[in-house]
Structure formats: structure tokens, C-alpha cells
Amino acid sequence: MTLWTRTEMAARAAADIPEGWYVNLGIGMPTMVADQVSADREVIFHSENGVLGTGPAPAPEDADPWLINAGKQHVTLRTGGSYVSHSDSFAIIRGGHLDLCVLGAFEVAENGDVANWATSENDTAPAVGGAMDLAAGAKRLWVLMEHTTKDGRPKLVQRCGNPLTALACVKRVYTNMAVLDITEAGFSVVEMAPGVTREALIAATQAELIFQ
Amino acid sequence: MIDKTVASMADAMAGIQDGSIILLGGFGAVGQPDTLLDGLIEHGARNLTIVANNAGAHRVGLARLMEMRRVGRIVCSFPRSSSSVIFEELYRAGEIELEIVPQGTLSERIRAAGAGIGGFYTPTAVGTKLADGKEMREIDGRMMVLETALHGDVALLEAWQADRWGNLTYNKSGRNFNPVMAMAAKTTIVQAHHIVKLGQLDPEHIITPGIFVDRIYPLNGAAA
């Protein structure tokens, strides 16, 4: 069984993004999706802090201290890009103008609920950022995450145990084991990583799976 | 003649009261008015409520203000980061009150204040614990939560260029919360990297018009 690497997961998601889409990528692994979209394809990346048309990271010596993404990393602006205020940036998000948002998550439930901002046992201050706005506002939400936690617990579940970010909004999940759509009937397997068996996927998932 | 530039930091901070609600521009360090924060530390106002996206970093600026026990309450979307050590200490010790607001709701609550709107219904946070106890309503078939305007007594902001009327431009992602906060405080105080002559800014490119701005503190000393 060969699990997809983080780069392969990002590439798998990137392959499903059509040219012309406006896309917000969450902090962490989802940010890697941008590097998997070739520069000649016009996919426009949005960043919550008011950047529309985020380009690749600059060489360290070319970093502009005034130009960061939502993860506070230095970025560039691609030709045709623009800057907006936070107010307009979240009008873009909440107003349904983004074709897609890709977020990381702690858990995704079979009805599309997502939990990605706080864990139940967390004693530090919770930090929500723009996750709830993105989950509620983008035209479609995909989640990019490992199939299980580091200690092997399923992250695709019947009901989320962690505090929710938004209700019934995830359309598709890309994990290191499989690509799954969320349908009326639950998780539907679109593709599995090479050598992943149905049995292995079922064992790593705490919800029913539909195999097409 | 209108001239909103101030001659000293003491003039910039004049009249800020204990217990004020301070809207603080910036996203992380970018667009955050660090020089004005140093001025506020020097000024001495206490028992402040800070409204900002983040809760300060390291031991400077906002973090220093908190470390001096001058902030009783913070309203923000993302207090947690590897460098927000002071906030984490105070929060764990129960010495600072935290109100977590989704980032877009935070921005829109401030915009509502600046635009004279009492509140608004948003789909953000429906079904989550951040909507607990709030009024809910179904509009056009979708559940929404009522959020109310968030006013500031003072806004501390950073701009790139300013003229003596207080017309402002920003630099790249340094814009962020600054324009919306400029609208929402009784007194809006701006640190500006460059002071330009009135008329030098293209009217089509002014992002914040001077009507929203009260004081300009020039970062490079002399006004034009």
C-alpha cells in the first residue's frame, strides 16, 4: 500500500481546479496546492488579508515586507492581481464570489460538517481566523487532510467530535488514502491511492463508504 | 486651512481615556501601527479594549501593552501564534478577557459601525459555538446569525501616503483592516510613511478619504 505524499495530495486536488476559478487556500497543506497549478493556467488565488491574485513565494532576497498571505508568509502578486481591504476581501468570501475554498481539517462528517478550528481538549485560546467565513461563503469547499490522526484515529467520521466550523458544506475530501465526494448518501469513494484496498480504507474511516 | 498632521506623539495620543475601545489596524505585523502603539504605551491609558485581528507578537507593541497589564479585553479572530507568548500567558492566568470573532464578521461589525448600521445577519458561524445565544433568523432559505456593530473610541492605523486633509493610500497587503477601521472610531489616528502635498494623490487612487481621518503622525518627521 502506497499512501499519497502531501505533494501528491496537493497535486491531485490541483488537477481538479479548472482554469478561470477564483480559489482561496487555507493555511498549511492547502497552500501547497498553488505550487501544483502550472503558471500558464490562469487560476486566481485569493488571500483573506486582501490579496487577489497571489503568486508564488519570492526568493528570500526578493521578499517584500508589505506582501504576505493569510499564513503570514511572503508571497508575490501575479500580473493582473489587485489589493482590497478586509471588508471587501470578506465580501468576496461571504458573498459567494469564490469558486472554491480548500481547507485543512481535524474532522469531516459524512453530512459535510467540518471541524477545523478548535479541539475539544485544547486549553489554549481558540483561534478561528477566516475559517468560518470561508466554509460558509465559498461556492464549494474541499478539504485536504491526512486520512487519520497521527495516532491512527479516523478523521472522516459520522459526526464531528470537535467544535464545528460550519454545517454541511464540504463537497469533496482529498486524503493520503483516497479522494471522496460527500453525497446525500454519505462518503462516496472517487479514487484510492495505489495499492490502498477497500478493507484498508474502511478500517481507517469511521463512517460508511460508498464504492462506485 | 485644514492640517491633520500632528507635531508630536503627545499630540497624536492626546485625549485617549482609560477604558477606551481601540481599533488596531494590521494583519500580523503588516499594516500594524507600531510607532503609535509605542506612543500609546508612553501615553499611559489603562483598562483598554483592543479590537484587532491578532493578539500581538513577541514582547513589543501590542504584546508589550498587554504585558504591562493595560489591556483588559481583546476582541480578535486569531490570537494564537507561535510568537503570541504574552497573550497566552495572560489568557491562561485569567488576566485578559477574550472575545473570538470570525475574521469576516469582525471586519463587517466594524464596517457596520462606520456605516451607521446597527447589525446584520450573516451565515458565518451558524451551527457553531460562536453563534451560541445569538439571535437566529432564516432569510431566503438560509439560517443566519445576528451580529451587531462594533464601534471604537479610537482607531490606530498605518498608511503609506497621507496628505494634510488625511487622504490615505496603503501599501499592498498593508491595507487590510485599516480602511474599515478608519470609518468606525470617534478619533482616527494614522501613522503615515510619506506625507505628500495636497493634490498630489490621484483622486481615483485615494483609498481612505480624509473625512474618516482625524490625526496624521508622520513617520519620517517633517510634513510637506
Side-chain angles (χ1 to χ4, degrees):
Chain A
M1 182 166 83
T2 315
L3 300 184
W4 280 318
T5 64
R6 289 161 64 88
T7 304
E8 285 167 339
M9 290 163 64
R12 183 61 190 79
D16 288 341
I17 302 175
E19 197 164 359
W21 273 17
Y22 290 85
V23 179
N24 182 291
L25 300 175
I27 293 171
M29 193 168 20
T31 306
M32 296 168 65
V33 171
D35 296 330
Q36 303 301 320
V37 176
S38 63
D40 60 328
R41 293 180 65 221
E42 296 195 323
V43 172
I44 298 167
F45 293 104
H46 166 267
S47 198
E48 292 97 297
N49 57 321
V51 187
L52 193 57
T54 305
E61 63 273 21
D62 295 331
D64 181 334
W66 292 91
L67 187 43
I68 60 169
N69 63 13
K72 303 189 173 81
Q73 301 158 310
H74 292 293
V75 292
T76 51
L77 188 74
R78 71 178 291 159
T79 302
S82 56
Y83 303 112
V84 298
S85 71
H86 247 81
S87 185
D88 288 345
S89 183
F90 279 82
I92 287 170
I93 292 170
R94 216 189 297 98
H97 304 284
L98 293 175
D99 296 289
L100 169 68
C101 175
V102 186
L103 291 177
F106 299 131
E107 290 170 312
V108 175
E110 61 189 359
N111 69 341
D113 288 357
V114 57
N116 86 337
W117 70 288
T119 50
S120 310
E121 67 274 16
N122 206 340
D123 74 335
T124 60
V128 69
M132 289 186 182
D133 305 278
L134 285 160
K139 282 181 193 157
R140 49 180 81 68
L141 179 66
W142 296 349
V143 165
L144 187 62
M145 66 178 191
E146 311 290 337
H147 205 91
T148 60
T149 62
K150 284 197 178 76
D151 54 1
R153 281 176 296 155
K155 298 177 71 170
L156 280 74
V157 294
Q158 287 175 303
R159 291 178 66 87
C160 294
N162 289 305
L164 292 179
T165 304
L167 302 174
C169 57
V170 179
K171 295 283 182 274
R172 182 168 262 213
V173 185
Y174 297 83
T175 77
N176 50 346
M177 295 184 82
V179 180
L180 308 98
D181 276 337
I182 290 174
T183 66
E184 298 272 311
F187 290 114
S188 174
V189 180
V190 174
E191 188 181 335
M192 291 188 285
V196 171
T197 61
R198 290 187 175 196
E199 291 67 32
L201 197 64
I202 289 166
T205 307
Q206 195 263 308
E208 291 293 315
L209 294 177
I210 301 159
F211 292 93
Q212 290 147 346
Chain B
M1 189 178 96
I2 298 168
D3 187 357
K4 296 180 181 176
T5 55
V6 294
S8 69
M9 184 56 85
D11 290 344
M13 296 293 124
I16 298 180
Q17 305 287 315
D18 289 356
S20 292
I21 299 172
I22 310 270
L23 309 181
L24 184 64
F27 184 84
V30 180
Q32 181 178 276
D34 291 327
T35 305
L36 294 182
L37 275 169
D38 288 343
L40 185 62
I41 289 166
E42 182 72 16
H43 170 74
R46 312 185 63 82
N47 191 26
L48 300 170
T49 292
I50 297 288
V51 179
N53 191 59
N54 304 99
H58 309 293
R59 286 173 190 271
V60 295
L62 175 57
R64 177 77 185 127
L65 193 68
M66 291 191 295
E67 190 174 28
M68 295 169 80
R69 305 295 193 274
R70 304 258 295 275
V71 180
R73 185 163 179 269
I74 185 158
V75 182
C76 70
S77 88
F78 206 86
R80 199 174 55 199
S81 78
S82 56
S83 54
S84 52
V85 286
I86 301 294
F87 169 78
E88 294 267 357
E89 276 173 31
L90 294 175
Y91 184 75
R92 268 201 214 98
E95 292 187 44
I96 194 163
E97 194 186 325
L98 170 68
E99 181 181 349
I100 286 283
V101 183
Q103 201 171 132
T105 299
L106 181 64
S107 173
E108 192 64 10
R109 287 180 64 193
I110 298 165
R111 201 198 71 84
I117 304 290
F120 55 93
Y121 286 92
T122 175
T124 300
V126 167
T128 77
K129 67 181 187 181
L130 296 189
D132 281 354
K134 292 178 178 168
E135 186 182 324
M136 307 286 290
R137 187 165 169 177
E138 188 177 315
I139 298 175
D140 290 338
R142 193 163 186 201
M143 285 311 291
M144 303 262 172
V145 56
L146 177 66
E147 293 285 353
T148 55
L150 182 53
H151 294 266
D153 295 303
V154 174
L156 299 182
L157 309 178
E158 179 173 64
W160 185 242
Q161 296 166 299
D163 63 26
R164 63 179 175 82
W165 281 18
N167 295 310
L168 307 178
T169 70
Y170 301 92
N171 193 353
K172 305 188 181 76
S173 62
R175 188 181 307 187
N176 57 63
F177 282 91
N178 287 297
V180 72
M181 287 179 169
M183 302 165 64
K186 290 177 197 144
T187 304
T188 292
I189 307 168
V190 180
Q191 66 174 50
H193 285 261
H194 302 284
I195 304 297
V196 300
K197 284 190 169 26
L198 196 69
Q200 202 174 321
L201 297 176
D202 182 340
E204 297 285 3
H205 296 166
I206 291 170
I207 305 299
T208 296
I211 191 168
F212 298 126
V213 175
D214 298 288
R215 301 175 193 166
I216 298 287
Y217 180 81
L219 286 175
N220 297 322

